[in-house]
Amino acid sequence: MRSFIQGAFRNKAAVWLCVVLVLVMGTASYLKLPMEFLPEADNPQVTVTAIGPGYDAASMEALVTKPLQEATAGIQGKTAAFATSGDSYSQLNLNFDSSTDMKQARADVERAIASVPLPERVAPPYVIQLNTSMIPVSWVTLTFDETMAEAKRAEAEKDILEAFRDIDGIGAAQLSGRPQPSVTVSPDADKLAAKGVPLQALYGVLQGRTGSASIGESQLGGSAVNLNVTSTLRDVETLRQLPVAPGVALGEVARVEAQSEAGGISRLGGQDALVLTVTKAPGANAVAVGRDVEKEAERLNGEIPGAELRVLMSSSDQVVNSVNSMMKEVLLGALFATLVILVFMRNIRATLVTIVSIPLSLGLTLYLLDLSGVSLNILTLGGVAVAVGRLVDDSIVVIENIFRRLQKERFSIPLVIDATREVSTAITASTLTTVAVFLPMGLLRGSLQAFLLPFALTVSYSLLSSLLVALTVVPLIGAGLFRNVRLTEHEPSRRFQRFLDWSLRRKWLPLTAAVVLLAGSIGAYAAMPKGALDTSDASNLSVTLAFQADATQERMAADGEKLESYLQSLPEQEWVYMTAGGNEESAQYGEIASRTQIRYLLGLKKGTDAEALAEQVKAQAGIPADAELEVKTSSLMGGSGGSQVYVDVTGPDAATASSAAATVMAAIEPVQDVLKVESNEQAKKAVYTLEVDPAKAKSAELAQQLQGMLNPVPIGQLAGEDGRQTPVVLQPALAPTQAAELDALTVLTDAGPQPVSAVAKWVQEEKATVYYLKDGKPYVRIAAEAEPSRLSVVGADISKAVDGLKLPAGAHASVGGASADMSQDFADLGMIALISIGIVYLIMVLTFKTLRTPLAILFTLPLAAIGAVLGLVVTQVTPDFTAMFGALMLIGIVVTNAIVLLDRVKHNEETMPIREALLEAAGTRMRPILMTAIATVCAMLPLVFGSAESGSIVSQSLAIVVIGGLIVATVLTLVIVPCIYELLFFRKAARQRREGLGAKRKPEEASEALPL
């Protein structure tokens, strides 16, 4: 190490050039690095969504869901399959092992379902595999003036879509909520009867009317020519003139009209609105793309009269806020660390030398992040915020040792080099142990690795950069600033040395106190409830109005508009966006909307108390008694910190699963801190099933006839001038409003026309509106909403309640959801912690060339646990995933103090007994140990009092755990570690004390023997 430090002094010009290059490259990298909210990570799930208008939930399950699930049963890497079948839709969620290549998994799923035959009117399934890069950058609403012509609207939509897709860095721009043009043919039963035209004649009105065909080749005028036949229907008027019977045109027996309808409701401020969803391309800068979207919206507003574009939400704003918030905390942390150094050193020059490591380390870190392809997001910025206090630690130890040596000796370059070399082993080992804590994160798989690795790389790069600066730049600057400077000698604390000597003579007292404190902290932690990770910044309010399964569209629309008017009257809102139903655009993203739900999203004015507003809406909204209102605070990226505990009840058949689910729900409802319990089976509606007598009619023929009578049926298409096809749909001839009318329906049988009641019987049943399959078996999902701060306790109580149940034969209940996810995350971090401790111990063994000294250093870890739990208890903060992550960080942080202390002890042992070596080292190293610890604590204080960004692992609970653990570990390290060290070498220490006592007695005996 000496030669490395001497090399820096021999090549001063090269070192200063490197300093300039690091600052320049760091600044350039900061400007170049893509900014985004979260790092790119795959969701280990593939979703298959199919839309089938007119089919009920049971039909979708039998005809679509089960065939799709069977086709995907053999997909490699699949761990579980969850299927949902509802009215007009089917959705299959395939979960995969975290090590699976998700792009390949999606391709395998697409191949598997391509060969599945689907019934008519069911569109080809959409296959989606979500990635964090698919999180929209902006949502832009588009509204038109009511007087604007349809043709002008269509042209404006096309121009706007093309304009946004041309923006640099755009990955995709999707316009949803567009009305779909169609032509409806509504038969008139009376006119059909008067003209003697059967309804079936209308089904084939377009057959053979359009198309093209080649009829061969002929010789005309001495040349070979091709002969073709073509026919195209382009307008509604021509369609009306088509014959359906001799002398009877379609327009004489049916109403033919062009329509334009959206798949669902999409309204902004009470006006119909389209939504443009913009996503960025991989590697693009989210902030730059978001700003370009805003500029393009402003430009188009001025260029297209009658159209109004409004950026409803933009993730780029949140990215900017996150960057600014984290940078503020980084700067505050650096300021606090500087003040601590100044207070302890009481020397401006020493302080300036130390804080140089912060900009240099950050510059080199940014450059290395750029080389690694890591973006600037809330996790990398969080890594910087956590590491900023640690950046000065190595420099503090170096400059303090140089400073201390200069107080006793004359300045010289060799002295500066030797003072740096003295502590080089200690700071290198301490830095490497901290870095080693984050290395096992590379062993994680899947999305957890994708989220933690950028954080780990940032911290590792920062610490390694600070070590390099401490060993090269800091000694050089120190040599320049301390030349010809007289320093007052600093005396170690004699009072502390006397206290430590007293403790070493009575080791059982401090060790017993430490064991009692540790046992108490373990008990306190075990009793503390573990909470969910809060990811809401309460910038929005999400409102859902849910109706009964048998509610009519007219009734839902009327009540929905009343609630919309009330929400628009709230002074706290900036805008109200209302959606209902679903469409093919949302299905492409795997989103399925319930037919009986209306959703509202409110943008809140800055400074609004979202929780209070949510309670106000619940109390004053005035919803119908048979509807349910749910109001939640939400954020742009919220949703990952839920507090629901799921219980999946499976059975050999639906009846068994339903019976078992009722038993489970009855056991869960009394559990303390369970706020609400519901299951998918609670939503039911009347279903009429026609049971056909096979001796009187064929069920397949009746089903086909009734489908045509009661449902819209596509019968062809019209070709537009722009080449787009407009579907022609035959509307149902009958619309029964009473159950008795179903019996009167007339069907064709082998015996001729007959009423349905003559050949079959209608049976009414109450059935669930949604069917679930788990790995091919029927299952019921029970969702228990838990108090977020007591999630772990509620999850454990529910598991205990479910485990003690006696369920029907073949039924099985499994507990999952947020509680199980949190337990798995805690288990993963626990495994990382064990691996990290092993690596830390290995590094210390290599450093000290012994097994016992590193063992003494590891005793700082339980001391840190005492402080971490104490911090949570004092602040009344519920431990969550980020708190556990803070405990993981402590492993690397707290051992550094013990390394610095025992490194000095080992040097002292060359000339001193163990106890004297411990006393001298504790007195000498106390100041740098306290300085580094207090600098790290002060640098993290902004995280305690600041607000954590949604989705960030750098939170208040993490900072509290690190600060509490570091404070207690630092104080106890100076006492407990020397006691443990002397115990580990008790034979050598006892022998030295006996020899020292014997050597002291010999002079005394000799003096007594002298003659008077």
Side-chain angles (χ1 to χ4, degrees), residues 1-5 394 397-398 401 417-432 467 470-471 847 899 903 907 925:
M1 194 64 75
R2 180 187 290 273
S3 59
F4 178 76
I5 301 167
D394 295 341
V397 175
V398 169
N401 204 47
I417 293 173
D418 189 59
T420 306
R421 181 202 58 78
E422 272 186 13
V423 294
S424 61
T425 300
I427 63 173
T428 302
S430 61
T431 300
L432 291 179
L467 175 63
L471 293 175
T847 301
I899 289 173
D903 176 69
H907 281 95
R925 290 285 190 247

Side-chain angles (χ1 to χ4, degrees), residues 408-420:
K408 299 178 180 180
E409 305 173 46
R410 192 177 188 85
F411 173 85
S412 67
I413 297 297
L415 181 144
V416 174
I417 293 173
D418 189 59
T420 306

Side-chain angles (χ1 to χ4, degrees), residues 618-880:
K618 289 178 185 177
Q620 300 178 8
I623 62 165
D626 58 346
E628 184 177 346
L629 186 70
E630 184 178 50
V631 185
K632 291 182 178 180
T633 58
S634 65
S635 68
L636 188 63
M637 301 297 164
S640 61
S643 58
Q644 281 192 330
V645 179
Y646 296 123
V647 182
D648 291 339
V649 183
T650 57
D653 53 63
T656 304
S658 178
S659 173
T663 304
V664 172
M665 287 186 70
I668 290 177
E669 285 173 346
V671 172
Q672 188 177 358
D673 293 315
V674 169
L675 306 179
K676 184 171 66 172
V677 181
E678 58 186 1
S679 81
N680 58 291
E681 279 210 322
Q682 288 181 329
K684 293 186 178 183
K685 72 173 185 179
V687 176
Y688 287 82
T689 303
L690 185 65
E691 295 182 353
V692 181
D693 185 345
K696 297 179 180 180
K698 298 174 182 177
S699 60
E701 291 181 357
L702 262 62
Q704 188 174 9
Q705 292 179 51
L706 292 173
Q707 282 179 352
M709 291 181 192
L710 303 173
N711 294 288
V713 178
I715 58 174
Q717 291 180 325
L718 293 184
E721 295 293 338
D722 57 358
R724 286 192 290 183
Q725 301 291 320
T726 302
V728 180
V729 180
L730 180 65
Q731 294 299 311
L734 303 171
T737 57
Q738 301 294 330
E741 295 178 23
L742 293 174
D743 288 328
L745 295 174
T746 302
V747 293
L748 291 175
T749 66
D750 293 340
Q754 287 184 296
V756 166
S757 58
V759 296
K761 179 178 66 174
W762 290 102
V763 178
Q764 181 184 358
E765 296 176 282
E766 292 289 324
K767 288 189 176 182
T769 56
V770 182
Y771 289 88
Y772 289 89
L773 291 176
K774 182 177 181 179
D775 295 327
K777 293 182 179 180
Y779 87 105
V780 177
R781 167 156 288 184
I782 299 168
E785 188 74 32
E787 174 65 37
S789 64
R790 297 183 57 81
L791 178 60
S792 64
V793 174
V794 173
D797 290 346
I798 288 177
S799 296
K800 190 183 299 181
V802 171
D803 290 341
L805 294 176
K806 186 176 182 181
L807 301 177
H812 177 71
S814 58
V815 181
S819 175
D821 292 342
M822 185 180 67
S823 298
Q824 184 60 49
D825 289 342
F826 275 41
D828 289 342
L829 286 180
M831 182 57 66
I832 293 175
L834 292 176
I835 296 172
S836 299
I837 291 171
I839 297 175
V840 166
Y841 185 67
L842 176 62
I843 291 173
M844 291 189 295
V845 168
L846 293 173
T847 301
F848 291 102
K849 309 292 191 297
T850 177
L851 294 174
R852 285 182 285 181
T853 302
L855 196 60
I857 293 172
L858 287 183
F859 273 91
T860 57
L861 299 182
L863 304 181
I866 296 171
V869 174
L870 184 63
L872 293 172
V873 171
V874 170
T875 57
Q876 293 295 299
V877 171
T878 302
D880 54 20

Side-chain angles (χ1 to χ4, degrees), residues 903-915:
D903 176 69
R904 178 74 179 183
V905 171
K906 283 296 181 184
H907 281 95
N908 289 345
E909 282 189 59
E910 296 175 3
T911 58
M912 303 179 190
I914 289 178
R915 180 160 295 182

Side-chain angles (χ1 to χ4, degrees), residues 414-705:
L415 181 144
V416 174
I417 293 173
D418 189 59
T420 306
R421 181 202 58 78
E422 272 186 13
V423 294
S424 61
T425 300
I427 63 173
T428 302
S430 61
T431 300
L432 291 179
T433 54
T434 308
V435 171
V437 169
F438 298 96
L439 287 180
M441 291 180 186
L443 302 176
L444 292 171
R445 297 182 296 178
S447 57
L448 192 59
Q449 183 200 47
F451 281 110
L452 294 184
L453 198 56
F455 181 90
L457 286 176
T458 305
V459 175
S460 299
Y461 289 158
S462 301
L463 298 181
L464 292 174
S465 301
S466 70
L467 175 63
L468 183 63
V469 171
L471 293 175
T472 55
V473 179
V474 168
L476 275 178
I477 299 177
L481 291 179
F482 291 144
R483 190 185 299 270
N484 300 324
V485 175
R486 296 183 62 84
L487 300 174
T488 306
E489 185 173 350
H490 169 74
E491 289 292 331
S493 174
R494 302 300 179 192
R495 183 177 299 175
F496 171 71
Q497 287 180 324
R498 286 194 297 271
F499 173 74
L500 179 59
D501 184 44
W502 182 87
S503 299
L504 288 171
R505 294 176 187 275
R506 300 164 182 81
K507 296 183 185 68
W508 64 273
L509 275 175
L511 293 179
T512 301
V515 170
V516 170
L517 287 172
L518 179 61
S521 64
I522 293 173
Y525 179 77
M528 291 175 74
K530 284 51 170 201
L533 180 60
D534 181 17
T535 61
S536 173
D537 62 5
S539 56
N540 304 103
L541 205 65
S542 174
V543 181
T544 302
L545 181 60
F547 294 87
Q548 297 294 323
D550 57 356
T552 62
Q553 293 293 328
E554 293 76 12
R555 185 256 172 122
M556 288 191 294
D559 289 338
E561 288 179 10
K562 288 180 184 177
L563 180 56
E564 181 188 32
S565 299
Y566 166 73
L567 295 175
Q568 285 181 318
S569 69
L570 295 172
E572 296 89 349
Q573 59 86 18
E574 286 189 337
W575 45 261
V576 177
Y577 178 56
M578 170 184 173
T579 57
N583 49 50
E584 291 190 6
E585 289 92 345
S586 60
Q588 292 179 36
Y589 288 93
E591 297 177 3
I592 296 294
S594 171
R595 184 191 69 85
T596 58
Q597 285 187 352
I598 300 177
R599 297 170 305 283
Y600 307 84
L601 187 65
L602 282 70
L604 303 182
K605 293 179 181 177
K606 194 171 183 180
T608 299
D609 186 341
E611 293 290 347
L613 184 61
E615 294 302 320
Q616 177 186 332
V617 171
K618 289 178 185 177
Q620 300 178 8
I623 62 165
D626 58 346
E628 184 177 346
L629 186 70
E630 184 178 50
V631 185
K632 291 182 178 180
T633 58
S634 65
S635 68
L636 188 63
M637 301 297 164
S640 61
S643 58
Q644 281 192 330
V645 179
Y646 296 123
V647 182
D648 291 339
V649 183
T650 57
D653 53 63
T656 304
S658 178
S659 173
T663 304
V664 172
M665 287 186 70
I668 290 177
E669 285 173 346
V671 172
Q672 188 177 358
D673 293 315
V674 169
L675 306 179
K676 184 171 66 172
V677 181
E678 58 186 1
S679 81
N680 58 291
E681 279 210 322
Q682 288 181 329
K684 293 186 178 183
K685 72 173 185 179
V687 176
Y688 287 82
T689 303
L690 185 65
E691 295 182 353
V692 181
D693 185 345
K696 297 179 180 180
K698 298 174 182 177
S699 60
E701 291 181 357
L702 262 62
Q704 188 174 9
Q705 292 179 51

Side-chain angles (χ1 to χ4, degrees), residues 979-999:
C979 292
I980 296 292
Y981 183 83
E982 195 172 58
L983 273 179
L984 290 173
F985 294 92
F986 72 95
R987 289 181 181 175
K988 182 180 178 182
R991 187 179 66 250
Q992 288 175 344
R993 286 197 299 274
R994 284 196 303 269
E995 292 174 354
L997 186 60

